[in-house]
Amino acid sequence: MSLIVKNITKKYGDKVVVEDLSFSIENPGVYALLGTNGAGKTTSLRIILGMLSKDGGDVLWKGKTLDTVNANVGYLAEERGLYPKYSLLDQLLYFAKLRNVPKKTAMSRIEYWSDRLSVNEYIFPPKVKGKTVKANKADQLSKGNQQKIQLMAALISDPELIILDEPLSGLDPVNTELFKGIIREEIAKDKFLIMSSHQMPVIEEFCSDITIMNRGKAVLQGNLNEIKKSYGRVNLFVKSDVEIASYIENFGIQITNKTPGEYQLKVLGEEQAMAFLTKLIQDKIPIVKFELREPSLHEIFIEKVGDTHDEK
Ligand SMILES: Nc1ncnc2c1ncn2[C@@H]1O[C@H](COP(=O)(O)OP(=O)(O)OP(=O)(O)O)[C@@H](O)[C@H]1O
């Protein structure tokens, strides 16, 4: 195992905000930490990073307690974490120094990432009439550009373990794709990533293993494909040029949703779906879509925490 999180617990006064959370990561790739607002994701990530004290449990990286000496870790925090009044270049060099990156290496990485993320003009202010324009401070940047600088800070040490707390929140579609591309590249470099996100399609795109938290506890854990398989193929999407609502109901299938022309149905399993398809064909009902699939992560998430997620 590369990362082992064993029974971590955190209390604030009497309130237990993370309770006995355990999971492990064996192979490179992205591990997802999901949960409703206040479920304890950020707290757990900060405990894993060693930024926050814990009331119990262990975090091991390659067999040793995870700390900044034995692990090269990068962290993109959910909230903005730049110093508002210092120049961006100074801050990036400072983060690099904290993580023992030699200045020359740090400079070449800053140049690479500022190009890649199109933030050159903020980090290396251009010359106007021979004079360098005053360097930008963090509080003069848009939210998305601050996020880019924080991503640069997270990646400045070329970390082996990368912790991304809501990395895509607040980004426009173009920058979302840019960040996703960078995440894909880090995966291709065999990095270990832990990502928290409320965007279920993003989790489905990147993550093989997940933990869903609710009120500080893990309520569902495992391989996403296996979890989906365990639910079975019970979601049927049918689209027809004609009105078939009563036809479906007469067959004894439940309609869970209807959008223009398309019905979302809940079937008992593949057998019932196939019997329904056979009947549609026999009765010559014009069908333009017939798709049977497992529940989405969104549906699984709602089922697991939908009624119970209110903060204590
Ligand atoms: N310093 C603190 N003192 C007291 N309670 C805290 C403190 N920090 C966090 N909490 C509480 O711990 C719980 C978990 O918070 P956390 O930020 O880890 O949740 P989260 O899953 O990351 O939520 P979100 O998705 O909204 O970011 C919440 O109920 C929060 O109010």
Side-chain angles (χ1 to χ4, degrees):
M1 286 298 163
S2 296
L3 179 78
I4 299 178
V5 175
K6 207 158 65 183
N7 304 104
I8 56 169
T9 295
K10 177 74 184 173
K11 294 178 195 160
Y12 286 110
D14 289 342
K15 188 174 168 182
V16 184
V17 297
V18 177
E19 189 173 347
D20 265 339
L21 177 71
S22 299
F23 65 89
S24 53
I25 307 180
E26 192 167 358
N27 299 313
V30 192
Y31 191 96
L33 207 53
L34 310 174
T36 48
N37 292 125
K41 303 176 296 293
T42 298
T43 307
S44 304
L45 294 177
R46 291 197 164 163
I47 289 173
I48 293 168
L49 282 154
M51 286 171 70
L52 193 62
S53 66
K54 53 190 176 332
D55 294 296
D58 292 301
V59 180
L60 304 178
W61 174 248
K62 298 184 175 169
K64 291 184 186 157
T65 297
L66 191 154
D67 61 32
T68 47
V69 178
N70 63 39
N72 182 358
V73 190
Y75 174 47
L76 177 66
E78 184 183 14
E79 70 280 6
R80 306 285 86 69
L82 297 168
Y83 301 103
K85 298 294 172 203
Y86 292 97
S87 91
L88 300 170
L89 182 59
D90 287 348
Q91 290 192 55
L92 287 166
L93 287 170
Y94 174 70
F95 288 127
K97 197 172 169 193
L98 284 181
R99 282 149 67 193
N100 301 317
V101 181
K103 191 168 178 186
K104 212 172 153 201
T105 311
M107 273 311 284
S108 74
R109 286 183 187 157
I110 292 168
E111 279 163 16
Y112 169 79
W113 283 115
S114 56
D115 239 13
R116 183 86 171 75
L117 289 158
S118 308
V119 286
N120 269 318
E121 59 183 302
Y122 309 116
I123 296 175
F124 304 107
K127 287 193 170 170
V128 176
K129 291 183 189 157
K131 283 189 182 166
T132 304
V133 175
K134 229 174 151 205
N136 270 100
K137 308 274 192 323
D139 60 356
Q140 294 168 312
L141 259 60
S142 70
K143 193 171 168 236
N145 282 331
Q146 288 188 44
Q147 185 116 326
K148 288 181 181 180
I149 306 293
Q150 282 185 234
L151 181 64
M152 287 176 72
L155 298 177
I156 195 99
S157 63
D158 193 17
E160 244 187 310
L161 174 62
I162 304 167
I163 298 191
L164 304 171
D165 197 352
E166 283 287 342
L168 307 176
S169 78
L171 296 177
D172 67 37
V174 174
N175 284 320
T176 298
E177 284 311 311
L178 182 63
F179 270 51
K180 279 190 187 177
I182 291 170
I183 294 171
R184 269 183 221 111
E185 283 167 20
E186 294 302 317
I187 297 170
K189 286 193 255 169
D190 276 350
K191 301 294 184 72
F192 291 78
L193 293 92
I194 305 177
M195 175 157 85
S196 93
S197 177
H198 291 295
Q199 300 175 30
M200 299 300 147
V202 172
I203 298 296
E204 289 189 301
E205 188 177 339
F206 286 106
C207 305
S208 48
D209 294 292
I210 63 164
T211 285
I212 297 182
M213 294 179 76
N214 190 28
R215 297 182 173 185
K217 290 186 195 165
V219 292
L220 185 68
Q221 291 188 300
N223 178 273
L224 186 52
N225 285 334
E226 298 295 323
I227 291 170
K228 284 187 170 187
K229 264 192 215 153
S230 74
Y231 277 78
R233 294 204 175 119
V234 291
N235 284 2
L236 179 60
F237 298 82
V238 180
K239 199 167 181 176
S240 173
D241 291 333
V242 297
E243 177 60 50
I244 53 168
S246 51
Y247 183 89
I248 294 168
E249 276 159 3
N250 286 342
F251 196 84
I253 295 179
Q254 182 200 346
I255 299 174
T256 51
N257 197 15
K258 183 178 184 294
T259 53
E262 179 164 323
Y263 296 87
Q264 189 178 334
L265 313 176
K266 189 67 80 191
V267 291
L268 300 172
E270 292 188 27
E271 220 169 280
Q272 190 185 29
M274 288 312 128
F276 183 50
L277 180 61
T278 308
K279 177 101 173 91
L280 286 166
I281 294 167
Q282 276 169 359
D283 293 345
K284 297 194 167 52
I285 306 285
I287 294 299
V288 289
K289 177 178 175 180
F290 189 92
E291 185 186 345
L292 184 61
R293 56 171 139 97
E294 290 140 358
S296 64
L297 179 57
H298 178 90
E299 290 168 298
I300 294 170
F301 184 90
I302 299 288
E303 190 211 277
K304 280 287 160 194
V305 300
D307 297 332
T308 58
H309 78 275
D310 301 346
E311 285 198 43
K312 281 182 272 187

